[in-house]
PDB file of all heavy atoms in Angstrom:
ATOM      1  N   ASP A   3       0.632   5.540  -0.365  1.00 61.00           N
ATOM      2  CA  ASP A   3      -0.382   6.582  -0.247  1.00 61.00           C
ATOM      3  C   ASP A   3       0.218   7.912  -0.660  1.00 61.00           C
ATOM      4  O   ASP A   3       1.246   8.324  -0.139  1.00 61.00           O
ATOM      5  CB  ASP A   3      -0.852   6.639   1.204  1.00 61.00           C
ATOM      6  CG  ASP A   3      -1.955   7.648   1.415  1.00 61.00           C
ATOM      7  OD1 ASP A   3      -2.496   8.164   0.424  1.00 61.00           O
ATOM      8  OD2 ASP A   3      -2.278   7.917   2.574  1.00 61.00           O
ATOM      9  N   ARG A  57      -7.244   9.946   8.543  1.00 76.00           N
ATOM     10  CA  ARG A  57      -5.813  10.273   8.528  1.00 76.00           C
ATOM     11  C   ARG A  57      -5.438  11.269   9.613  1.00 76.00           C
ATOM     12  O   ARG A  57      -4.355  11.217  10.167  1.00 76.00           O
ATOM     13  CB  ARG A  57      -5.426  10.857   7.178  1.00 76.00           C
ATOM     14  CG  ARG A  57      -5.488   9.873   6.081  1.00 76.00           C
ATOM     15  CD  ARG A  57      -5.075  10.543   4.802  1.00 76.00           C
ATOM     16  NE  ARG A  57      -5.094   9.562   3.737  1.00 76.00           N
ATOM     17  CZ  ARG A  57      -5.179   9.869   2.471  1.00 76.00           C
ATOM     18  NH1 ARG A  57      -5.253  11.124   2.102  1.00 76.00           N
ATOM     19  NH2 ARG A  57      -5.180   8.922   1.564  1.00 76.00           N
ATOM     20  N   LEU A  68      13.849  14.898  15.452  1.00 88.00           N
ATOM     21  CA  LEU A  68      14.793  15.169  16.531  1.00 88.00           C
ATOM     22  C   LEU A  68      14.736  16.666  16.775  1.00 88.00           C
ATOM     23  O   LEU A  68      15.156  17.461  15.940  1.00 88.00           O
ATOM     24  CB  LEU A  68      16.215  14.752  16.145  1.00 88.00           C
ATOM     25  CG  LEU A  68      16.405  13.267  15.871  1.00 88.00           C
ATOM     26  CD1 LEU A  68      17.819  13.001  15.379  1.00 88.00           C
ATOM     27  CD2 LEU A  68      16.114  12.450  17.114  1.00 88.00           C
ATOM     28  N   SER A  75      32.995  20.305  15.972  1.00 94.00           N
ATOM     29  CA  SER A  75      34.242  19.685  15.518  1.00 94.00           C
ATOM     30  C   SER A  75      35.380  20.665  15.769  1.00 94.00           C
ATOM     31  O   SER A  75      35.206  21.878  15.728  1.00 94.00           O
ATOM     32  CB  SER A  75      34.171  19.305  14.040  1.00 94.00           C
ATOM     33  OG  SER A  75      34.049  20.454  13.235  1.00 94.00           O
ATOM     34  N   VAL A  77      39.461  20.997  14.628  1.00 90.00           N
ATOM     35  CA  VAL A  77      40.520  20.466  13.770  1.00 90.00           C
ATOM     36  C   VAL A  77      41.832  21.094  14.194  1.00 90.00           C
ATOM     37  O   VAL A  77      41.960  22.324  14.250  1.00 90.00           O
ATOM     38  CB  VAL A  77      40.246  20.762  12.275  1.00 90.00           C
ATOM     39  CG1 VAL A  77      41.369  20.216  11.415  1.00 90.00           C
ATOM     40  CG2 VAL A  77      38.918  20.202  11.850  1.00 90.00           C
ATOM     41  N   ALA A 107      10.868  10.410  18.650  1.00 71.00           N
ATOM     42  CA  ALA A 107       9.481  10.108  19.016  1.00 71.00           C
ATOM     43  C   ALA A 107       9.266   8.595  19.042  1.00 71.00           C
ATOM     44  O   ALA A 107       9.955   7.847  18.347  1.00 71.00           O
ATOM     45  CB  ALA A 107       8.533  10.754  18.006  1.00 71.00           C
ATOM     46  N   SER A 138      11.454   4.362  38.955  1.00 70.00           N
ATOM     47  CA  SER A 138      11.738   3.838  40.289  1.00 70.00           C
ATOM     48  C   SER A 138      13.234   3.723  40.568  1.00 70.00           C
ATOM     49  O   SER A 138      13.637   3.664  41.715  1.00 70.00           O
ATOM     50  CB  SER A 138      11.070   2.478  40.473  1.00 70.00           C
ATOM     51  OG  SER A 138      11.547   1.563  39.502  1.00 70.00           O
ATOM     52  N   LEU A 143      16.647   7.568  34.595  1.00 70.00           N
ATOM     53  CA  LEU A 143      16.466   6.238  34.016  1.00 70.00           C
ATOM     54  C   LEU A 143      14.992   5.852  34.098  1.00 70.00           C
ATOM     55  O   LEU A 143      14.579   5.101  34.960  1.00 70.00           O
ATOM     56  CB  LEU A 143      17.327   5.201  34.755  1.00 70.00           C
ATOM     57  CG  LEU A 143      18.825   5.483  34.749  1.00 70.00           C
ATOM     58  CD1 LEU A 143      19.549   4.539  35.692  1.00 70.00           C
ATOM     59  CD2 LEU A 143      19.375   5.355  33.348  1.00 70.00           C
ATOM     60  N   LEU A 151      -1.104   2.132  30.443  1.00 85.00           N
ATOM     61  CA  LEU A 151      -1.678   1.935  29.114  1.00 85.00           C
ATOM     62  C   LEU A 151      -2.615   0.734  29.121  1.00 85.00           C
ATOM     63  O   LEU A 151      -2.295  -0.297  29.695  1.00 85.00           O
ATOM     64  CB  LEU A 151      -0.568   1.709  28.087  1.00 85.00           C
ATOM     65  CG  LEU A 151       0.506   2.785  28.023  1.00 85.00           C
ATOM     66  CD1 LEU A 151       1.667   2.321  27.170  1.00 85.00           C
ATOM     67  CD2 LEU A 151      -0.074   4.071  27.492  1.00 85.00           C
TER      68      LEU A 151
END
Side-chain angles (χ1 to χ4, degrees):
D3 183 10
R57 291 181 178 159
L68 297 175
S75 65
V77 179
S138 59
L143 301 171
L151 305 169

